[in-house]
């Protein structure tokens, strides 16, 4: 009877959100994820003043005003270098997290925030727009690393019953970063001719805070045990994170995962594309990240100002409506944090993509009828808000959570490298292609986004399993059935066999994707 009570107590303890876990989550998300969101939106409001700076700088150098096509090119570079930097940052994920650890990579990553913050802050004094463009590449690298490493780090710190909720916190801070940039961008705050350099430089403050505080918190216990072989440090970290001494059960699960992966070694990106046992996990993260970015979320924000203007919102008031949309985004992401463990990951993805699909279709109709029907512009505004709600509860936060959960320790860094590269390349593609789509297709551009949302929804419905409250090894077994491999876990060596042709794991390594 006493043993039964002890087991029950231990089970209850496992779900605790301890102070150490909460602070590690908040500091890493604020220090890293916040900057991703902040730098997405920071150049939107002061764009006019920054272009004037580019023009005046060019005039001071060459004695003539800048050509409009060259100004467009320079501004396009200013905006697009950020996602391109994000792509380069994603390519650095696997080597850095394997060498420096998860926490170590986040600390190292602050270089790519503090240095460009200083560069952007002094750009006006230095009379150089080139500094801003180079700084946008560097801060993009920061975002590319943080958008992948923070979910990985927090996913490995969290107990399985809190992994979904904590995994959404980075996305929450991304939305808070976007909202903060929108608020600072109000003309009466920093979105002015004097304030924009300060606004750009503020991105360095979260990095400085993280640099000073994060060293006091644990490295990922899974990294310490499975990759470094340091059980003592892993046990100490787990005890601090869980708030109790007896962490043997969780350590045993890590040992089991370590045993199951020892035959693989550390997997590279090439291995992911050649192992049959990783086939559907890899396809899934590619589809989800493409769906997330190609679903039209950036285009909706791009189109929002003109939609609000057509609805009769005064030009001077559009900035406040934009802040209101950002507030809705934050509020719905907070809601996702609280409902993800109850509803599950898959349901939120399905509902989110369904809402986005419906909103894109209705927005297409509304934009086509707004000249002939008086109240139709208000329907357009509602469509934008509903779309933001749908994206915030599923497509925005959940892919990061599922990427952490679908891969085990040896394959997770390479998986995030692939997912991050797809994410940022898709982001870059939308920014590059959408202006041409809008010019050629106009309002019908959103039908393409609706189709992408629908295709992603169907894939998730058919392929993606529910992963809530499951260990990483249990999730691997779910995918093993679809990959037609069998994962058998014994106390001895682990044997993985093809269910159809009974290949050995050694043979499996040579199996082409």
């Amino acid at each position: 009877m006493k043993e039964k009570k002890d087991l029950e107590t231990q089970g209850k303890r496992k779900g605790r959100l301890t102070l150490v876990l909460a602070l590690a989550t908040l500091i890493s998300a604020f220090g890293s994820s916040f900057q991703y969101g902040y730098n997405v939106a920071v150049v939107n409001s002061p764009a006019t003043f920054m272009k004037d700076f580019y023009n005046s700088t060019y005039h001071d150098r060459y004695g003539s005003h800048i050509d409009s096509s060259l100004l467009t090119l320079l501004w396009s570079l200013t905006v697009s270098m950020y996602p391109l930097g994000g792509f380069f940052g994603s390519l650095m994920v696997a080597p850095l997290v394997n060498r420096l650890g998860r926490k170590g990579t986040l600390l190292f990553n602050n270089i790519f925030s503090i240095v460009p913050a200083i560069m952007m802050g002094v750009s006006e004094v230095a009379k150089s727009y080139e500094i801003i463009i180079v700084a946008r590449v560097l801060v993009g690298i920061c975002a590319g690393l943080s958008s992948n490493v923070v979910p990985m780090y927090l996913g490995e710190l969290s107990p399985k019953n809190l992994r979904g909720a904590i995994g959404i916190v980075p996305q929450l801070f991304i939305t808070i970063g976007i909202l903060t940039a929108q608020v600072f961008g109000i003309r009466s705050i920093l979105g002015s001719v004097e304030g924009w350099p300060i606004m750009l430089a503020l991105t360095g403050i979260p990095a400085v805070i993280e640099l000073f505080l994060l060293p006091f918190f644990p490295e990922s216990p899974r990294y310490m045990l499975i990759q470094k072989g340091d059980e003592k440090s892993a046990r100490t970290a787990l005890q601090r994170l869980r708030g109790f001494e007896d962490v043997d059960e969780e350590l045993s699960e890590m040992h089991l995962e370590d045993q199951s992966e020892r035959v693989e070694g550390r997997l590279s990106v090439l291995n992911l594309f050649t192992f049959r046992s990783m086939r559907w996990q890899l396809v899934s993260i590619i589809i989800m990240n493409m769906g997330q970015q190609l679903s039209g979320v950036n285009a909706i924000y791009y189109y929002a100002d003109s939609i609000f203007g057509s609805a009769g919102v005064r030009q001077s008031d559009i900035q406040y409506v934009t802040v209101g949309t950002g507030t809705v985004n934050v509020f719905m992401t907070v809601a996702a944090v609280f409902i993800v463990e109850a509803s599950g990951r898959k349901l939120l993805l399905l509902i989110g993509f369904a809402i986005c699909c419906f909103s894109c279709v209705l927005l297409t109709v509304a934009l086509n009828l707004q000249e002939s029907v008086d109240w139709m512009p208000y329907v357009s505004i509602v469509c934008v808000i509903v779309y933001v709600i749908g994206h915030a509860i599923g497509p925005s936060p959940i892919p990061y959570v599922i990427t952490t959960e679908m891969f085990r320790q040896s394959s997770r860094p390479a998986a995030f490298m692939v997912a991050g590269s797809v994410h940022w390349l898709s982001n870059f593609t939308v920014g590059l292609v959408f202006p041409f789509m809008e010019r050629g297709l106009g309002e019908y551009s959103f039908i393409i986004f609706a189709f992408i949302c629908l295709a992603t929804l169907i894939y998730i419905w058919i392929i993606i399993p529910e992963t809530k409250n499951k260990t990483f090894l249990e999730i691997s077994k779910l995918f093993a059935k679809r990959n037609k491999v069998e994962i058998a876990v014994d106390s001895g060596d682990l044997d993985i066999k093809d269910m159809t042709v009974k290949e050995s794991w050694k043979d499996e390594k040579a199996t082409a994707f």
Side-chain angles (χ1 to χ4, degrees), residues 330-346:
V330 171
F331 178 79
M332 293 312 301
T333 309
V334 170
V337 171
F338 288 100
I339 64 177
V340 65
E341 294 301 349
S343 62
R345 289 67 157 139
K346 185 172 182 175

Side-chain angles (χ1 to χ4, degrees), residues 182-200:
Q182 290 169 341
V183 171
F184 285 171
I186 292 172
R187 297 287 181 264
S188 58
I189 303 178
L190 289 175
S192 61
V193 67
E194 301 89 7
W196 68 261
I198 300 170
M199 189 174 163
L200 294 183

Side-chain angles (χ1 to χ4, degrees), residues 253 256-257 260 408 471-478 487 489 494:
E253 187 261 317
L256 199 59
E257 183 179 340
S260 73
R408 290 181 288 165
T471 67
F472 295 122
L473 201 54
E474 288 169 342
I475 295 165
S476 293
K477 288 181 180 179
L478 290 176
I487 300 179
V489 183
L494 191 112

Side-chain angles (χ1 to χ4, degrees), residues 34-55:
F34 175 90
Q35 295 182 69
Y36 171 8
Y38 186 82
N39 286 293
V40 164
V42 74
V43 296
N44 293 346
S45 294
T48 303
F49 305 112
M50 291 178 69
K51 288 177 184 177
D52 289 343
F53 164 68
Y54 287 14
N55 201 356

Side-chain angles (χ1 to χ4, degrees), residues 458-509:
I458 292 169
Y459 178 88
I460 291 166
W461 185 30
I462 295 172
I463 302 296
I464 303 292
E466 182 51 68
T467 58
K468 76 167 185 175
N469 276 335
K470 291 182 172 63
T471 67
F472 295 122
L473 201 54
E474 288 169 342
I475 295 165
S476 293
K477 288 181 180 179
L478 290 176
F479 274 101
K481 293 178 183 178
R482 189 165 294 280
N483 290 322
K484 296 186 178 178
V485 298
E486 186 177 293
I487 300 179
V489 183
D490 297 314
S491 56
D493 291 333
L494 191 112
D495 189 26
I496 300 178
K497 297 180 180 178
D498 189 296
M499 286 161 55
T500 53
V501 295
K502 301 295 182 188
E503 297 171 318
S504 69
W505 174 247
K506 205 168 188 180
D507 294 332
E508 177 60 42
K509 282 188 177 181

